[in-house]
Amino acid sequence: MTRVRDLAAGFGYLVKGQRWVSRNTRWWVSGLLPALITLVLYVAVLVLLGFWADDIAVWMTPFANDWDAPWPGLLRGVVTALVFLGGLLFAVVSFAAVTLLVGQFFYDALAEQVDETEGGAPPAPEVSLWRELWIAAWDSVLVLGRVALYGAVLFLLGFLPFVGQTVIPVIGFCVSGYFLTAELTAVALQRRGVDLAGRLALLRGRRMLSIGFGVPLALLFLVPLAAVFLMPGAVAGATLLARDLLPPEECEPDQDAEELPARPSAPAPPGPVFTKEG
């Protein structure tokens, strides 16, 4: 039951994020340009992949050259579809990473504003913009490396009869959605001093929450132009989700005292938890 609630809550954060930018259109407009720049780049890459997918399939299956018809064509048709689907799923996850890098300044400001409207934002880390960009870029490389590793395994499993054409694509979207959430929550969690390892640990602890947020977004990102219009709201929703994963430090002591027992954290010591002195 908890998993179902987390799944629904994850989707709820996606809806709340889109609702937030719909009420704050200035922030929505400012977040469109980085997404549009990235979209143009990705459309060009996917068009090239569409042209080359057949050649890639032939290159990957030289052992089928001597097979009797129609088996080489059937095998290479499956490989072509898997190559393009794998590229599409990788593009969905990496689109967010590249867009966040292109629009680092805009999305950081947007996440801060969401925090302010929800009860206060943590102070910005005392590092230069270039240092922030470097950390974000390196974290994205590590996340995309994980996506590529999972993608390679799922690509091989895609050759399994029936399962490869039904179950494996579903798992692929779950993996893409999970890591898409990891990318989008980076903006808010980096401001809170949470590194990549800590971010992934938080998301593993609430895996269904992450999937509930990321999978619908990954599916929507497949719709032409949808990624551009949804990206600002996705960052806003990911910020709200991050506040659930790791409450802001600015919470009042009384609020913290009430929330701690309800969260899966260490038990409180006996006696008053918060004091004004000492």
Side-chain angles (χ1 to χ4, degrees), residues 12-188:
Y13 283 122
L14 179 59
V15 173
K16 289 175 185 177
Q18 301 303 324
R19 189 181 301 150
W20 190 93
V21 294
S22 71
R23 294 196 303 263
N24 300 269
T25 53
R26 180 172 67 90
W27 292 100
W28 178 71
V29 172
S30 68
L32 291 180
L33 183 58
L36 184 59
I37 293 171
T38 308
L39 178 68
V40 171
L41 173 64
Y42 271 64
V43 167
V45 171
L46 286 174
V47 168
L48 290 176
L49 181 62
F51 279 116
W52 292 342
D54 289 338
D55 295 332
I56 294 172
V58 172
W59 173 77
M60 293 179 66
T61 57
F63 53 84
N65 289 338
D66 298 327
W67 291 5
D68 295 330
W71 302 114
L74 291 175
L75 173 65
R76 285 164 177 166
V78 171
V79 173
T80 298
L82 289 174
V83 166
F84 190 78
L85 180 61
L88 200 59
L89 292 176
F90 187 80
V92 167
V93 178
S94 59
F95 177 88
V98 174
T99 303
L100 290 174
L101 286 175
V102 173
Q104 175 80 19
F105 175 79
F106 297 102
Y107 295 127
D108 190 61
L110 189 155
E112 182 180 3
Q113 187 63 30
V114 172
D115 270 326
E116 290 289 357
T117 60
E118 294 297 316
E126 296 181 359
V127 295
S128 66
L129 177 60
W130 292 111
R131 175 66 177 167
E132 282 189 56
L133 288 173
W134 169 254
I135 294 173
W138 181 243
D139 284 354
S140 294
V141 169
L142 294 177
V143 170
L144 295 178
R146 288 173 167 83
V147 175
L149 180 61
Y150 280 105
V153 174
L154 292 173
F155 177 82
L156 295 175
L157 293 176
F159 289 102
L160 294 175
F162 183 72
V163 175
Q165 294 75 50
T166 54
V167 177
I168 298 304
V170 173
I171 296 175
F173 274 107
C174 288
V175 170
S176 298
Y178 176 80
F179 284 109
L180 182 58
T181 304
E183 286 287 355
L184 290 166
T185 53
V187 180

Side-chain angles (χ1 to χ4, degrees), residues 190-212:
Q190 281 176 359
R191 174 178 283 274
R192 289 162 168 80
V194 181
D195 60 10
L196 175 61
R199 188 161 81 245
L200 293 177
L202 286 170
L203 293 176
R204 279 196 301 271
R206 305 286 298 278
R207 188 174 280 110
M208 296 307 291
L209 183 71
S210 308
I211 291 175

